[in-house]
Amino acid sequence: MEDQRVRVERDGAVASVVLARPDRGNALDAAMLDALVRAVEETAAECAVVVVRGEGRHFCAGWDTGGFAELGRGEAEVLAAELRAVHAALGRLWRVPAVTVAQVSGMTAGFGIGLLAHLHLAVAADDARFALPEVGHGIAPAGVLVDLARALPAKAALDLLLTGEAVGAERARELGLVSRVVAREQLATETARVAALVAGHPSSGTGRALESFRRATAESVEARVAAAAMDAAFSVREAMAARRPEGNT
């Protein structure tokens, strides 16, 4: 059965995969993440560019914490294995043959930043916000931490991680979280323009460029993800023992 919270829209060489859960800020759970990854993989096999965007106000408010209470009662090793599997699913997005472009509006938080890190390009509205709120809930951000440690300077990554404070779109662009920043009313138009620009190039060129970049930046992250996942698993158990966090991460 298809997950109705993920929708695909096709328009020639460009497709859009839409996170359609606006009532929860497009927060993801395991089933929705699986649907998202499969939708991107399937459309990437047919289209040159896949745009990923959120329906409603926000791009992705993080991971849905609705199941955290149950997870916190499980064994840390089991939870860590689930977190590793989630990060592996994100890794599949990075490896699709088409170019992926995030259209970013509103809030991108917690796991949403991990999602953003696995898409190739990102166009953000100038009033978009980005945050890692996990520290406020007593939780370590697992695989997202590994992605940030690879992508950002240490002080910038630790600032996001330890303060939980949100940063604006221009700061996110300076740090490399997004590619471009435009006025909110121009977001859809600029994203479509970038997508069309990329789609207009020979697929052999963009495909080789992507693969070359992946090879040039490849490094083994499995051990680091495993360690971060175990840390996160223990922190979830401890946080659930103390209180249930509100919101998404």
Side-chain angles (χ1 to χ4, degrees):
M1 181 177 178
E2 292 186 1
D3 194 318
Q4 300 301 312
R5 299 171 298 176
V6 175
R7 185 174 71 250
V8 176
E9 301 171 353
R10 290 182 173 86
D11 184 13
V14 177
S16 292
V17 175
V18 184
L19 302 177
R21 199 187 184 193
D23 58 313
R24 292 287 290 169
N26 298 312
L28 295 164
D29 56 24
M32 190 174 173
L33 174 62
D34 179 67
L36 167 64
V37 172
R38 285 188 292 106
V40 172
E41 287 179 330
E42 290 169 6
T43 53
E46 304 171 353
C47 301
V49 178
V50 180
V51 174
V52 179
R53 62 179 176 86
E55 185 176 278
R57 183 179 176 187
H58 302 297
F59 175 65
C60 179
W63 191 262
D64 190 345
T65 59
F68 268 30
E70 181 178 351
L71 289 174
R73 289 191 290 268
E75 293 294 326
E77 292 78 4
V78 174
L79 176 53
E82 293 183 13
L83 293 174
R84 292 196 300 272
V86 164
H87 195 270
L90 286 181
R92 289 162 56 190
L93 293 176
W94 182 250
R95 295 189 295 273
V96 297
V99 176
T100 54
V101 183
Q103 179 176 308
V104 186
S105 59
M107 177 58 75
T108 300
F111 188 78
I113 290 182
L115 170 60
L116 194 60
H118 286 84
L119 300 174
H120 302 131
L121 302 174
V123 182
D126 57 2
D127 58 353
R129 305 283 285 171
F130 305 82
L132 289 177
E134 287 92 339
V135 67
H137 302 308
I139 296 172
V144 177
L145 173 59
V146 175
D147 299 324
L148 287 180
R150 288 194 300 158
L152 303 183
K155 292 294 187 291
L158 285 169
D159 194 297
L160 290 171
L161 174 68
L162 298 177
T163 69
E165 188 174 37
V167 298
E170 281 296 342
R171 178 58 176 160
R173 185 186 61 78
E174 292 172 359
L175 295 177
L177 290 174
V178 300
S179 316
R180 304 177 183 219
V181 175
V182 296
R184 180 174 56 180
E185 60 271 17
Q186 297 174 350
L187 177 61
T189 300
E190 177 64 8
T191 303
R193 189 189 74 80
V194 170
L197 180 65
V198 174
H201 297 317
S203 59
S204 59
T206 54
R208 288 195 187 100
L210 266 181
E211 187 55 34
S212 294
F213 185 84
R214 282 190 283 250
R215 284 199 301 267
T217 57
E219 53 181 303
S220 177
V221 298
E222 286 80 4
R224 280 173 287 168
V225 169
M230 186 59 76
D231 289 340
F234 279 111
S235 69
V236 168
R237 285 169 55 87
E238 292 170 357
M240 292 307 99
R243 60 182 174 84
R244 182 183 184 279
E246 299 299 328
N248 304 308
T249 64

